[in-house]
Amino acid sequence: MCDSSFTVQNTNIVTSIKKTITDLGSRIGANIQEKIKINKDDDVFKVIDGKKYDKNLLDVATELSAKKEEITIEGSKQLFQKIKDYDDYTQVEKQTVAYIRKKYKFTPEANSWLRTEIKRWAASKIRSDDTSDPTSAKLQKEQPLSFVFSNLKEAYRWDNLNNLNEKPKTAAQWAGILLSVVFVLGIFSGIAYGIKWNNQETQWTSGGLSSVHGTIIDSNGNSLEGVKIEADDKKTYTNAQGKYFLYDLIGEEIEIIFTIEGYGNLNIWINIRSEGTNILEVELEEGGINKNIDQRKDVSEPWPPNYALSPIFIVASIITLMGSSAALLQQNFRMAVIGCLCGVISYGFLIGSILSIIALSLLLIDREKFDRA
């Protein structure tokens, strides 16, 4: 009995030791893999101001600048060859090249050559279907909307906003800031119009009072003074400049009668906008011939009606925000310009439209700053 118990206990101890050794081996293996991964990242990437850059490209640029004061075309070719060693032009490589071109001196020829060659090469690259890089050339070409939203997310990351606040801003980035303001103004403008016209009919069909005014001339273009104008129970006369004003008119259409001695009477039917001002210019002919004119069919409801302005302002404001992100990142110049144009449409109590025009001017000034590679 004792021997059997000892055997069982001995077996349990051996099993426990094996399990402990296995667990220890797994932990050691995991730690080694983690260290290898960290070391690998350290070998591949270099973090500067919170941004990840390609270490190998930076090393090449540092070596080239150490040999000569400015990087020549030969140096640009070495950099370009290093970039081509990768499968595609990823976001890390893209921002590394932008960093190198900003921090290191290039001859004008070398800078132009590198920019042109990278742009041509990147445009010809096709990433594999399982690649998830949101900045890839394929995604930008085949899924432009996804690319725009990716830029939007990138531009308004907290660390990017902090960097933008701490560093001098380019004209394009100032344009992006202005478009951000336009977005806010446009949204408020759309909301204000939505509240104003909620559950209301348009000015065209509401039953309020309206007015008609204009100028009366003869066949020679001279202003006529003293012409009597009548509409319903309202009556007035033209002044020395031939101008007249009729107030407090009711209805959607009205007959207006113009009479003066020596000229034929003129009766005109027109549509009138309630709670609005209507303009009617008149020419009277000498003689005793009376005329009846019906202009009601020539008047139509304006477009867009006021109640449609709210969604127009809001949609235009959202597109303006997308243009703002493109300007802040200095990527996708076309989207930035579209954002400016939509900013004009978003209105923003007129201030937004003015700021959008200023932003467009800044973009055009800073056109070359955009990273088109």
Side-chain angles (χ1 to χ4, degrees), residues 23 71 96 119 122 153 169 173 222 245 263 274 359:
D23 292 342
I71 297 177
T96 302
K119 181 180 179 181
K153 181 180 178 181
K169 288 169 275 294
Q173 289 172 330
N222 300 316
F245 300 87
Y263 293 81
S274 300

Side-chain angles (χ1 to χ4, degrees), residues 277-319:
T277 300
N278 304 269
I279 300 175
L280 179 61
E281 308 288 357
V282 174
E283 179 182 325
L284 296 180
E285 297 181 2
E286 295 185 20
I289 301 176
N290 298 330
K291 286 187 177 182
N292 294 296
I293 300 175
D294 190 345
Q295 293 185 353
R296 285 172 290 188
K297 62 182 179 180
D298 298 330
V299 182
S300 60
E301 182 176 355
W303 178 260
N306 289 310
Y307 55 78
L309 291 177
S310 177
I312 291 174
F313 290 164
I314 291 175
V315 171
S317 299
I318 294 173
I319 300 175

Side-chain angles (χ1 to χ4, degrees), residues 46-53 95 99 154 157 159-160 163 166-167:
K46 183 176 182 179
V47 178
I48 303 175
D49 294 334
K51 285 190 175 182
K52 188 182 290 186
Y53 298 97
Q95 65 188 20
Y99 178 84
E154 179 72 16
R157 277 174 38 204
D159 55 341
N160 282 345
N163 289 335
E166 294 171 359
K167 297 179 180 179

Side-chain angles (χ1 to χ4, degrees), residues 142-279:
E142 297 183 0
Q143 302 180 38
L145 190 60
S146 298
F147 182 79
V148 168
F149 279 109
S150 174
N151 271 359
L152 185 62
K153 181 180 178 181
E154 179 72 16
Y156 288 99
R157 277 174 38 204
W158 184 250
D159 55 341
N160 282 345
L161 293 177
N162 279 337
N163 289 335
L164 187 66
N165 185 47
E166 294 171 359
K167 297 179 180 179
K169 288 169 275 294
T170 65
Q173 289 172 330
W174 276 115
I177 293 172
L178 289 179
L179 290 180
S180 300
V181 176
V182 172
F183 161 73
V184 175
L185 291 173
I187 290 294
F188 277 112
S189 180
I191 293 173
Y193 267 79
I195 294 174
K196 180 178 180 180
W197 298 107
N198 185 38
N199 297 325
Q200 293 187 24
E201 295 180 339
T202 67
Q203 288 186 350
W204 192 266
T205 58
S206 59
L209 301 177
S210 61
S211 63
V212 177
H213 70 88
T215 304
I216 301 177
I217 60 174
D218 60 19
S219 56
N220 296 319
N222 300 316
S223 301
L224 291 177
E225 181 182 3
V227 178
K228 182 170 70 172
I229 302 100
E230 298 176 280
D232 291 339
D233 58 344
K234 305 296 188 298
K235 181 172 66 174
T236 188
Y237 293 87
T238 56
N239 59 20
Q241 290 76 40
K243 298 184 181 298
Y244 71 94
F245 300 87
L246 283 172
Y247 299 99
D248 300 335
L249 302 176
I250 301 175
E252 297 181 9
E253 58 183 32
I254 194 168
E255 181 186 25
I256 303 177
I257 303 172
F258 302 87
T259 57
I260 186 173
E261 186 177 351
Y263 293 81
N265 294 343
L266 178 62
N267 295 14
I268 301 180
W269 277 95
I270 62 169
N271 294 97
I272 56 175
R273 287 176 292 179
S274 300
E275 299 182 2
T277 300
N278 304 269
I279 300 175

Side-chain angles (χ1 to χ4, degrees), residues 132-144 146-147 150:
S132 59
D133 184 0
T135 62
S136 66
K138 182 179 179 182
L139 181 63
Q140 182 176 3
K141 184 177 180 180
E142 297 183 0
Q143 302 180 38
S146 298
F147 182 79
S150 174

Side-chain angles (χ1 to χ4, degrees), residues 49-115:
D49 294 334
K51 285 190 175 182
K52 188 182 290 186
Y53 298 97
D54 189 293
K55 188 174 182 298
N56 292 331
L57 285 177
L58 291 176
D59 290 342
V60 172
T62 302
E63 183 180 348
L64 290 172
S65 62
K67 294 179 180 178
K68 295 184 179 181
E69 185 176 346
E70 292 182 329
I71 297 177
T72 62
I73 288 184
E74 291 301 321
S76 291
K77 289 181 178 179
Q78 291 184 42
L79 278 170
F80 182 57
Q81 186 59 45
K82 192 68 178 176
I83 294 170
K84 288 176 66 177
D85 289 342
Y86 303 105
D87 291 335
D88 192 28
Y89 194 41
T90 65
Q91 176 65 17
V92 173
E93 295 154 17
K94 191 173 186 179
Q95 65 188 20
T96 302
V97 172
Y99 178 84
I100 290 173
R101 291 176 56 206
K102 181 178 180 181
K103 294 296 182 180
Y104 295 88
K105 288 185 178 180
F106 285 77
T107 64
E109 297 81 6
N111 188 34
S112 176
W113 184 91
L114 182 62
R115 185 187 189 99

